[in-house]
Structure formats: C-alpha cells, structure tokens
Amino acid sequence: MSKTAKSVWNNCLLFIKDNIQPQAYKTWFEPIVAVKLTDNALSIQVPSKFFYEWLEEHYVKILKVALTKELGETAKLVYIIKMENTYGNKQPFTEKIPSSHRTAVKSQDVDIPLNNKSRELKNPFIIPGIRNVKIESQLNPNYSFENFLEGDSNRLARSAGLAVAAKPGGTSFNPLLIFGNVGLGKTHLAHAIGVDIKDKYPEKTVLYISAEKFTQQYIEAVKKNNRNDFIHFYQIIDVLIIDDVQFLSGKSGTQDVFFHIFNHLHQNGKQVVLTSDKAPVDMQDIEQRLLSRFKWGLSAELQNPDFETRVSILKNKLYRDGVIMPDEIIDYIAKNIKSNVRELEGAIISLIAQSSFNKKEVTLDLARVIVEKFVKNTKREVSIDYIQKVVSDYFQMDIETLQSKTRKRHIVQARQLAMFFAKKFTKASLASIGSQIGKRDHATVLHACKTVDNLSSTDKQFRKYVEDITKKLSV
Ligand code: ADP
Ligand code: MG
C-alpha cells in the first residue's frame, strides 16, 4: 500500500506517543493534522506560530527520528500555521513554514531580511517569505506619549504607562488598567504604550484590540469551531492591549476565554494593558475572578484635566496644525469645555475650519457660538426624553406606543433599545430609567440591557438597529 500523509503521520505518532509524557502528547501532538505528502516532505498543520515554535524547541529531535524511520534520511517536515480565521484582519495569517528537521529552524534564524544574505543560505529549506509570519499591531502611530500632554489629571496613568513601556511585563503594573470617562485619553494612552514598546522592542509582538472586536472574533471562532486557534493566537502575544473592557460585561463566554488568555500571558511574564470607562469596583456583570485579576496590577484613573492642562492641550494642537490663535480665545474655550478632551479638540477644529472656510477672523464671538453648540449637543445627548424620541422616530412609532404595556415584539424591542441607550448615554440609575420609560422597574431595565447586548452580538439586523440609533444619537 502506498504511503499517504495520514499513514506516515500516524506511524510517527505511534512512535512519539511511546516516548513522551501522555499529557505532552495530548497537548502538542493531538491537535496536529497531517495535510500533504510530496516526495519526502510531510506537511503538518499546527494551530499557531507559538505551537510551531514550541515543537521546534522541544520536539524537533523526536520528530526527526520518527520521520526518518518512515521516510528515510532525506525526509523533510513542513509546518503550516493555520490561523486565518482567528483574526479579523484582511491579511491572511496562513503561512507555510518549511523546516528541515535536520537543521532546526528557530524563529530567530528566520528573521533575516530578504535583501541580504537569505538568498544565499545553504539550507534549502528556509524559503523566503518565512519572515512574513508576524502580527500587525493595529497601533495608531499618531497616538504617542509625546503628544499626550501631562497634567495632574493624568500623571499617574501616564507615568505608569511609561514604566510599562520601558519594561513590558517586568513591572508590578500588570495588568495596567486605565480607566476614566469618555474622551479623556484612554485610547490615546493605550496606543502610546504599544507604540513606545514597538519602538524600544521591535521584536516583541504587540497587539491593540478593542474588547468589542475581540468579542466578535471570539464569536466567529466559536461558530467556526476554532476556539482553540483563537486562544493560541492570543497566547503568543507579548503585549496585549484591550480597549474598553467594560464591553465584556454580561458576555460570559468571552469573559471566560479572556480569563484563560490573561492567566497564560500573566504567568509567562507578558504584559496586559486594559482600559475601561469604570473602575473595577464599579464594573457590572463582569465575573468576580476576572475583576480580581484586574486588581492584581495597577488601576490608574484619568480625571478631568484641569484648566492649565486644557490650555496646553489646545496650544499643542494648534502648534501641530500650524495655527496661531489669540490667548484670549484659547482661554475661553478651555474655560467652557471641561470634561472631555475630545470635545475640546472638536471645538478648536471647528473654530479653525469656520474661520478658514468662511474667511472670517477668529473672534471671541465666533468662539462663543461654537462652544455653545458643543455644550448644547452634549446636553441633548444625555436626556432620556431625547433618546425615546430618536428611538421611536427610528421605528416610526410614537412615544406613547414605545412606553405602552404591549408585548408586541417590535414594540418591546424598541423599548428595550431605549432603555439600553439610556443606560449607555446617561448617568441615570436603572430605577430612574425604568420609571421614565413606561414606568418599569430596575430589573426590567437590566434585562433590557442584557437582551440588547445579546441580540446585537447574535442578530445582524438587530446590530444594525443599534448602530443606526447610535449614529443618530451621536450627531
Ligand atoms: P477615550 O478613549 O478615553 O474616550 P481618547 O483616547 O479617544 O479618549 O481621547 C480623545 C481625544 O483627546 C483624542 O484625540 C486624544 O488624542 C485627545 N487627548 C486626550 N487626552 C489628551 C492629552 N493628555 N494630551 C493630548 N491629547 C489628549
Ligand atoms: Mg476610547
């Protein structure tokens, strides 16, 4: 009978199984799939780069012996790293990694730039392209420490970020949790840490991801039966930055998988950076064991910037854009927009745009008009009445219908969405939201929020509702 990839590999497995610990066999050999046999080269598929490196480091000898027994002295082993479904990026992550088991290819040997000696390498098994095995960091280089201005409001978080960047995984700030209200610079700071690490340690694998995207990837992975690949993918990362972890609330499956990834990274001295809009004590519907992990490291708050810091943020922005503006106007804006750096920047950008498009001079009056718009907009956003109006308009019903006692599905959904957005966009308590939206109790509101969370991760149409209404509420 002629040899097939399967038959060759099965014989190798029999041999390997006899020679290593059962647990190791289960962990490192059972997940491998034999894919192809051409001439004397057996291609095996492994779940991740980490997996491949581990095999090369610990099992290359036994692999060599086993494969030589089957295919003779010229036997070759080719790894195929399979992880294309684990990552929501357009670039494929599948890479063929050939390796001779005569000369173990360590990942360090692999990173040789293509334009120099790699073409002349004697070893025919290292093919160009191998160095493409890398993970895009998803970092935004514009968010640096340099342009993250320091003030009393952010000194602790910023310094902790710098310390982590200098020694990722090597400080007691692991995880580093940055928390604070919207628009205060959490995302900026999280990127800055990653950017700085990439700068100092180019060989480290850094990944920035929002908790929302992480959740979507996980749901996809489960759907496609790739849960293990998903976990392996995240376990090879040196610095994992997850933005807006409050998004995980109520999502127990994602929390569970994150718990395992977190433990693995932490045990291996890898750095985890998290951001959240709340302090750990105030996070709702996050499992206790995860919350307790969050508290292992340092939780640093970003507070509202004080007046001086607001002025320097504005001046820095103007300086970078090459715009000159009278101090009087800068002061006016800084005095009137206090609790959100994004709005502060937004106001100055509108002011610049207004004056340059309309060829108007930047005057205090113009600044007043613009600031008023910003302040008004924020006020409108936070009213529960406004949310009910937007939601009922969207579904073309009137507010009385939305608030009514009916159990008709589409009306119930509209009501639940209104409650969800009221929770999301206002500071009102569950009880107060309930009493304003059809005189319901707090448990009903809580249930509504959970239902919306669940539906928007499982139901495409419903997710669209959430996105559409979010947009309407944010203009
Ligand atoms: P969050 O993630 O907390 O909602 P972001 O990180 O998105 O906030 O910050 C909002 C905007 O404010 C960004 O454009 C960011 O660059 C800017 N910003 C926040 N804090 C600072 C700061 N200390 N210095 C300079 N820019 C800042
Ligand atoms: Mg953010």
Side-chain angles (χ1 to χ4, degrees):
M1 206 181 81
S2 70
K3 288 178 172 168
T4 64
K6 256 218 174 96
S7 69
V8 168
W9 182 240
N10 279 340
N11 289 340
C12 289
L13 285 181
L14 287 177
F15 176 77
I16 292 166
K17 197 172 188 175
D18 268 349
N19 284 285
I20 67 172
Q21 295 292 327
Q23 188 54 43
Y25 176 81
K26 215 171 141 63
T27 311
W28 299 107
F29 289 92
E30 280 188 358
I32 297 175
V33 183
V35 184
K36 203 170 65 182
L37 182 67
T38 28
D39 301 329
N40 278 338
L42 175 70
S43 305
I44 58 170
Q45 182 182 293
V46 299
S48 65
K49 177 163 175 260
F50 172 71
F51 215 99
Y52 144 75
E53 287 173 353
W54 190 275
L55 289 173
E56 280 288 293
E57 208 171 311
H58 298 89
Y59 298 111
V60 75
K61 283 209 189 94
I62 193 164
L63 278 165
K64 177 184 173 178
V65 176
L67 207 59
T68 311
K69 265 166 54 114
E70 287 304 302
L71 297 174
E73 278 302 319
T74 56
K76 276 192 267 175
L77 183 62
V78 177
Y79 295 96
I80 297 174
I81 299 182
K82 170 128 197 314
M83 25 198 251
E84 73 264 54
N85 290 328
T86 60
Y87 195 62
N89 196 312
K90 273 134 239 115
Q91 293 155 298
F93 273 93
T94 318
E95 289 289 345
K96 289 193 175 178
I97 306 248
S99 146
S100 150
H101 55 262
R102 304 166 138 218
T103 9
V105 180
K106 290 263 165 59
S107 54
Q108 295 95 295
D109 300 336
V110 149
D111 244 334
I112 305 163
L114 278 180
N115 51 12
N116 63 29
K117 290 215 183 111
S118 64
R119 286 180 199 286
E120 304 151 29
L121 284 176
K122 290 288 172 303
N123 187 335
F125 305 110
I126 300 177
I127 54 152
I130 199 163
R131 60 190 287 274
N132 294 335
V133 182
K134 66 170 187 205
I135 293 167
E136 282 292 325
S137 289
Q138 317 290 326
L139 290 165
N140 179 347
N142 296 324
Y143 284 154
S144 64
F145 276 115
E146 196 178 78
N147 60 28
F148 189 81
L149 297 189
E150 183 172 341
D152 287 344
S153 56
N154 62 34
R155 188 160 292 120
L156 173 67
R158 192 177 184 278
S159 316
L162 279 167
V164 162
K167 260 176 108 186
T171 67
S172 52
F173 309 151
N174 199 10
L176 174 62
L177 173 75
I178 302 161
F179 69 96
N181 283 336
V182 60
L184 292 181
K186 301 181 293 293
T187 298
H188 185 141
L189 194 51
H191 277 278
I193 295 170
V195 168
D196 201 23
I197 292 176
K198 261 305 198 199
D199 213 37
K200 292 195 169 93
Y201 306 93
E203 77 288 357
K204 285 208 190 290
T205 311
V206 179
L207 182 72
Y208 166 91
I209 188 159
S210 66
E212 185 169 4
K213 199 160 165 200
F214 179 86
T215 306
Q216 284 166 7
Q217 284 181 3
Y218 176 64
I219 292 169
E220 273 302 293
V222 171
K223 239 191 247 160
K224 295 191 174 145
N225 246 327
N226 285 334
R227 189 174 183 272
N228 285 338
D229 288 2
F230 176 87
I231 295 173
H232 280 302
F233 173 80
Y234 276 94
Q235 286 181 342
I236 63 167
I237 285 163
D238 297 315
V239 180
L240 179 61
I241 304 167
I242 303 199
D243 203 357
D244 290 320
V245 288
Q246 76 275 0
F247 186 85
L248 301 181
S249 39
K251 303 188 175 61
S252 54
T254 316
Q255 284 181 35
D256 185 57
V257 79
F258 177 59
F259 179 75
H260 290 292
I261 291 168
F262 178 90
N263 285 339
H264 180 95
L265 294 178
H266 198 271
Q267 275 161 19
N268 288 284
K270 306 301 173 70
Q271 180 70 44
V272 179
V273 176
L274 307 166
T275 80
S276 164
D277 67 354
K278 290 180 203 68
V281 283
D282 296 324
M283 288 186 201
Q284 283 173 354
D285 295 315
I286 301 261
E287 283 178 47
Q288 210 45 50
R289 55 178 187 165
L290 206 50
L291 284 181
S292 87
R293 295 295 187 280
F294 290 175
K295 293 176 198 157
W296 277 359
L298 174 73
S299 305
E301 182 172 12
L302 289 177
Q303 291 163 333
N304 290 349
D306 54 27
F307 177 72
E308 279 73 33
T309 313
R310 299 200 295 275
V311 168
S312 34
I313 289 174
L314 287 175
K315 287 197 167 154
N316 182 260
K317 173 95 190 120
L318 289 166
Y319 174 77
R320 278 187 288 137
D321 292 353
V323 178
I324 294 170
M325 200 168 286
D327 277 353
E328 176 190 44
I329 291 175
I330 298 174
D331 282 8
Y332 179 81
I333 296 173
K335 253 186 209 124
N336 285 281
I337 300 182
K338 294 177 189 157
S339 57
N340 187 324
V341 180
R342 190 176 294 128
E343 287 177 6
L344 201 59
E345 287 188 339
I348 200 95
I349 292 167
S350 321
L351 196 57
I352 298 170
Q354 284 279 347
S355 79
S356 60
F357 291 150
N358 303 333
K359 304 237 176 327
K360 276 192 210 158
E361 222 187 309
V362 181
T363 60
L364 206 49
D365 272 344
L366 188 59
R368 244 182 227 125
V369 173
I370 282 167
V371 164
E372 206 161 281
K373 264 194 205 137
F374 268 86
V375 178
K376 240 195 217 135
N377 271 340
T378 21
K379 271 190 194 135
R380 193 183 60 182
E381 254 178 51
V382 298
S383 116
I384 293 180
D385 283 344
Y386 181 69
I387 290 171
Q388 295 191 76
K389 176 153 181 1
V390 168
V391 173
S392 49
D393 280 356
Y394 180 81
F395 289 107
Q396 296 174 341
M397 57 180 77
D398 42 40
I399 294 187
E400 289 77 64
T401 314
L402 181 120
Q403 295 181 337
S404 67
K405 300 274 174 221
T406 174
R407 292 181 187 229
K408 280 195 192 127
R409 196 176 123 93
H410 73 284
I411 299 173
V412 172
Q413 280 195 348
R415 191 160 57 229
Q416 290 178 328
L417 279 162
M419 291 173 171
F420 168 84
F421 282 110
K423 179 79 196 109
K424 190 165 167 186
F425 286 134
T426 76
K427 292 203 161 57
S429 67
L430 293 172
S432 136
I433 293 170
S435 76
Q436 290 179 69
I437 305 181
K439 303 211 165 51
R440 304 302 208 282
D441 63 10
H442 82 281
T444 310
V445 180
L446 192 60
H447 175 70
C449 294
K450 281 188 183 159
T451 307
V452 172
D453 265 341
N454 285 339
L455 281 178
S456 46
S457 53
T458 53
D459 180 336
K460 228 171 158 184
Q461 175 63 48
F462 197 83
R463 181 153 68 236
K464 175 130 183 21
Y465 294 157
V466 174
E467 285 165 3
D468 286 350
I469 299 169
T470 305
K471 268 192 212 123
K472 285 188 194 302
L473 289 168
S474 329
V475 283

